[in-house]
Amino acid sequence: MFVQAGQGPAHRRGCGQTMTDLVEVVMEALRDRDWTLACAESCTAGRLAQTLASGPGASRIFLGGVVAYTPSTKERVLAVPAEMLERPEGAVSEDVAVQMARGAADLTGADLALATTGVAGPSSDEEGNPVGRVYIALHDATAGDAEGAVRRFDFGDIGPKEVVERTVDAALILLAGHLAAQPHERSARQAQPGRRSGEGGGS
């Protein structure tokens, strides 16, 4: 089941910990468990995938990402139901973020998947969602019934670039907290497409 985790991070960076440090932490935790990762992005437009791909050993862990910037792409590629996207809040919602993460995991066969959807700015969207409102979801396919978490953030009108950077940071913190709470002995998802033993660097 998915946990509604509320607002703000449950896990925080350590003192002096940079985003690069955080990427290394999550990559090491994923490698220790032999788990893979994917992502689906809207408001971050590929920045999360770029950050994950820069981590050590990413070619064996990070299976890929989808930038689903429009509602139609979310529906066609990530299987977000049309009726969900037609709600008053549009694509910026908890349910859409959850389905985007699930869709990325299903598409790639990854054990875990992150998703971001929100309004980076410079203005509010057509549905009236304010600048800086973001939902981040984590899908965990390693459990019998899919587990994960979803959080809402209201970063405010701080500029599109800063909203994107804070969203990526918050997604990494959410992932790190989830991994820290998981036992090492849980098995990876079976029959994962895209995972190849000894796979080299990304292309």
Side-chain angles (χ1 to χ4, degrees):
M1 59 180 288
F2 257 79
V3 176
Q4 168 52 269
Q7 298 186 41
H11 176 85
R12 298 182 184 278
R13 286 191 196 178
C15 182
Q17 191 177 42
T18 66
M19 186 181 291
T20 299
D21 295 332
L22 196 53
V23 172
E24 291 178 357
V25 167
V26 298
M27 287 298 174
E28 181 178 1
L30 289 164
R31 185 170 58 250
D32 287 348
R33 292 164 175 79
D34 195 28
W35 288 356
T36 53
L37 178 67
C39 68
E41 304 178 67
S42 184
C43 60
T44 46
R47 182 72 176 95
L48 179 57
Q50 180 186 36
T51 301
L52 293 170
S54 70
S59 63
R60 300 174 65 89
I61 297 167
F62 182 54
L63 300 187
V66 174
V67 177
Y69 208 66
T70 65
S72 60
T73 304
K74 291 177 177 69
E75 181 183 356
R76 291 198 312 270
V77 179
L78 298 172
V80 179
E83 58 270 22
M84 188 180 291
L85 295 164
E86 291 166 359
R87 293 174 184 171
E89 63 272 22
V92 182
S93 74
E94 171 188 329
D95 289 342
V96 169
V98 168
Q99 183 54 49
M100 287 175 65
R102 182 180 292 115
D106 290 345
L107 187 66
T108 62
D111 297 307
L112 303 180
L114 288 165
T116 65
T117 183
V119 184
S123 58
S124 59
D125 64 8
E126 294 179 357
E127 288 75 25
N129 292 297
V131 175
R133 175 160 296 172
V134 173
Y135 289 87
I136 301 172
L138 170 66
H139 178 82
D140 185 341
T142 67
D145 292 325
E147 294 182 351
V150 59
R151 292 185 178 278
R152 191 187 90 183
F153 295 85
D154 285 291
F155 295 119
D157 190 357
I158 56 176
K161 182 177 180 180
E162 187 64 23
V163 170
V164 168
E165 290 302 307
R166 291 198 187 187
T167 301
V168 171
D169 195 47
L172 292 172
I173 290 170
L174 179 62
L175 176 59
H178 181 77
L179 288 167
Q182 305 308 309
H184 280 71
E185 60 268 20
R186 185 189 288 179
S187 299
R189 178 173 176 162
Q190 298 300 310
Q192 296 173 19
R195 175 186 284 183
R196 297 188 294 275
S197 177
E199 187 175 36
S203 59

